[in-house]
Amino acid sequence: GQNIDQPTEMTATEGAIVQINCTYQTSGFNGLFWYQQHAGEAPTFLSYNVLDGLEEKGRFSSFLSRSKGYSYLLLKELQMKDSASYLCAVRDSNYQLIWGAGTKLIIKP
Amino acid sequence: ETGVTQTPRHLVMGMTNKKSLKCEQHLGHNAMYWYKQSAKKPLELMFVYNFKEQTENNSVPSRFSPECPNSSHLFLHLHTLQPEDSALYLCASSQEVGTGYDEAFFGQGTRLTVV
């Protein structure tokens, strides 16, 4: 079966750096997405990786290793507004998105 | 504002009621989706429409019935639901199904409670 694994919850300190990991086992691979979802709000797109390596976008970076079935989202200079759930999703060979359960990130002052 | 609007935001219904969820997108997209989001579980894809044609029905019980009258509107008709159907129902749209980089835009969801 298809599976996306990510930690359920993480805690970090304001101003610090946090890395949220995602491992996947899917039938085929057509890209990996990271979304941010604040409580009670819509998920919003953060990043897309289809080739190995690091994609940097401001304070957020996303890394992909297709051979290892592994990605991470790196958040730098954490702010209180970064408290949210972070969803990892992989597009499989049928172009369907397979979702992880999300990682709830708690930022403390 | 993501360009995808869902109504109502909250809905409480009895198990014998019939209600409908509405989704509208203003992004010119050709694909629309219904997802179910339960606490601490992955998003569950329920239905997919691509150019108004239903392309996916992921073993969803018949008490959920989708309708897509045009590329901008999507409905989810509900009848004789069960308490375990209580969840956040998210609508999303994307350019079209079948491309790798096809970012999905989500609505804010309808929080459904079945009593």
Side-chain angles (χ1 to χ4, degrees), chain A residues 72-92:
Chain A
Y72 67 72
L73 181 69
L74 191 72
L75 292 75
K76 303 176 185 176
E77 302 169 16
L78 286 170
Q79 302 175 10
M80 297 303 293
K81 68 178 182 179
D82 297 329
S83 292
S85 288
Y86 291 85
L87 312 179
C88 174
V90 172
R91 197 175 292 283
D92 69 9

Side-chain angles (χ1 to χ4, degrees), chain A residues 7-12 18-21 73 84 103-107:
Chain A
T8 303
E9 187 173 299
M10 299 182 69
T11 302
V18 71
Q19 178 175 309
I20 302 174
N21 296 325
L73 181 69
T103 299
K104 182 178 180 181
L105 178 62
I106 300 168
I107 309 297

Side-chain angles (χ1 to χ4, degrees), chain B residues 1-105:
Chain B
E1 177 57 52
T2 65
V4 181
T5 305
Q6 288 186 245
T7 54
R9 293 291 308 277
H10 301 272
L11 178 63
V12 179
M13 60 185 288
M15 288 189 283
T16 58
N17 291 159
K18 289 184 180 181
K19 296 286 184 183
S20 296
L21 310 185
K22 180 182 176 182
C23 177
E24 185 174 359
Q25 58 98 359
H26 312 279
L27 301 168
H29 289 163
N30 297 303
M32 295 189 78
Y33 311 79
W34 279 117
Y35 283 94
K36 177 183 179 181
Q37 187 175 37
S38 303
K40 300 184 179 180
K41 289 186 178 180
L43 282 172
E44 297 174 45
L45 179 64
M46 300 175 72
F47 302 103
V48 181
Y49 280 83
N50 197 40
F51 293 94
K52 298 190 297 179
E53 296 296 320
Q54 185 174 319
T55 61
E56 197 77 27
N57 176 344
N58 281 357
S59 303
V60 179
S62 59
R63 56 186 184 267
F64 296 92
S65 173
E67 179 189 0
C68 187
N70 54 61
S71 293
S72 299
H73 294 85
L74 186 64
F75 295 90
L76 188 63
H77 304 301
L78 316 171
H79 65 96
T80 59
L81 293 191
Q82 305 298 312
E84 60 264 28
D85 297 322
S86 297
L88 181 68
Y89 288 84
L90 289 165
C91 173
S93 72
S94 68
Q95 191 57 49
E96 66 180 88
V97 175
T99 58
Y101 178 64
D102 183 34
E103 178 188 341
F105 291 78

Side-chain angles (χ1 to χ4, degrees), chain A residues 35 37 40 42 45 48 91 96 99, chain B residues 37 42 45 100 102-104 107:
Chain A
Y35 279 78
Q37 185 178 24
F45 170 80
Y48 172 76
R91 197 175 292 283
Q96 296 298 338
W99 294 84
Chain B
Q37 187 175 37
L45 179 64
D102 183 34
E103 178 188 341

